[in-house]
């Protein structure tokens, strides 16, 4: 099942400016950065290397293009599990509305909705 709050997405206008703000002004470190294709980066920052929870600095306009219905005016919450398939099956058997498991370059994940239709992401983290 869910064992930690993993990541909180902050939708930003410019990833590089946001990266400088969080690292240079607040002293955060880059936990993970990987290209996801042309003009797309997965970028995570956190207070230190040992902190599990991190902020994903995600391009606001890119998200609007990928998912026009996404609300980019506030952070989105991504929870973590170490066993995505088992957790998926458990949530589904509990009557939770779940999306399909997606295999992304940065890990497996799926979305689910709460009782009010709010959407969350659950990602498998092995570290």
């Amino acid at each position: 099942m869910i064992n930690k709050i993993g990541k909180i997405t902050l939708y930003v206008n410019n990833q590089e400016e946001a990266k400088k703000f969080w690292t240079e002004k607040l002293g955060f470190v880059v936990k993970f950065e990987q290209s996801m294709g042309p003009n797309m980066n997965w970028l995570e920052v956190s207070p230190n290397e040992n902190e599990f929870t991190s902020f994903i600095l995600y391009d606001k306009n890119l998200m609007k293009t990928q998912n026009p219905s996404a609300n980019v005016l506030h952070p989105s919450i991504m929870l973590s599990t170490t066993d995505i398939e088992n957790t998926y099956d458990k949530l589904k058997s509990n009557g939770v509305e779940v999306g399909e498991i997606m295999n992304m370059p940065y890990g497996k994940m799926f979305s689910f909705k709460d009782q009010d239709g709010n959407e969350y992401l659950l990602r498998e983290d092995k570290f």
Side-chain angles (χ1 to χ4, degrees):
M1 289 296 290
I2 298 167
N3 55 347
K4 293 183 184 187
I5 295 174
K7 295 157 193 348
I8 299 168
T9 301
L10 304 178
Y11 295 108
V12 300
N13 291 317
N14 182 298
Q15 277 186 318
E16 282 304 309
E17 287 178 10
K19 179 180 174 181
K20 285 180 184 177
F21 173 81
W22 287 100
T23 59
E24 294 176 12
K25 294 189 177 192
L26 295 181
F28 278 42
V29 298
V30 174
K31 284 278 288 215
F32 187 77
E33 186 170 13
Q34 178 178 332
S35 174
M36 295 170 44
N39 303 317
M40 296 174 63
N41 283 325
W42 184 269
L43 175 59
E44 296 180 29
V45 297
S46 67
N48 59 64
E49 286 292 335
N50 296 321
E51 176 62 47
F52 180 79
T53 304
S54 62
F55 288 146
I56 299 167
L57 305 178
Y58 204 88
D59 184 274
K60 187 181 292 188
N61 290 319
L62 182 58
M63 178 51 76
K64 286 182 192 177
T65 301
Q66 292 172 330
N67 183 357
S69 66
N71 183 350
V72 297
L73 300 177
H74 64 83
S76 68
I77 297 173
M78 184 179 295
L79 303 169
S80 293
T81 182
T82 55
D83 185 348
I84 195 92
E85 285 85 6
N86 187 42
T87 302
Y88 180 88
D89 292 341
K90 179 74 172 166
L91 292 181
K92 194 170 183 177
S93 71
N94 285 347
V96 175
E97 182 181 341
V98 295
E100 296 297 317
I101 294 178
M102 300 175 284
N103 289 306
M104 307 300 276
Y106 44 85
K108 293 180 182 179
M109 63 177 61
F110 67 89
S111 63
F112 68 93
K113 292 184 179 179
D114 69 12
Q115 74 286 347
D116 293 321
N118 297 308
E119 192 168 41
Y120 303 86
L121 285 172
L122 183 63
R123 180 178 132 168
E124 184 172 58
D125 286 298
K126 297 287 187 179
F127 55 91

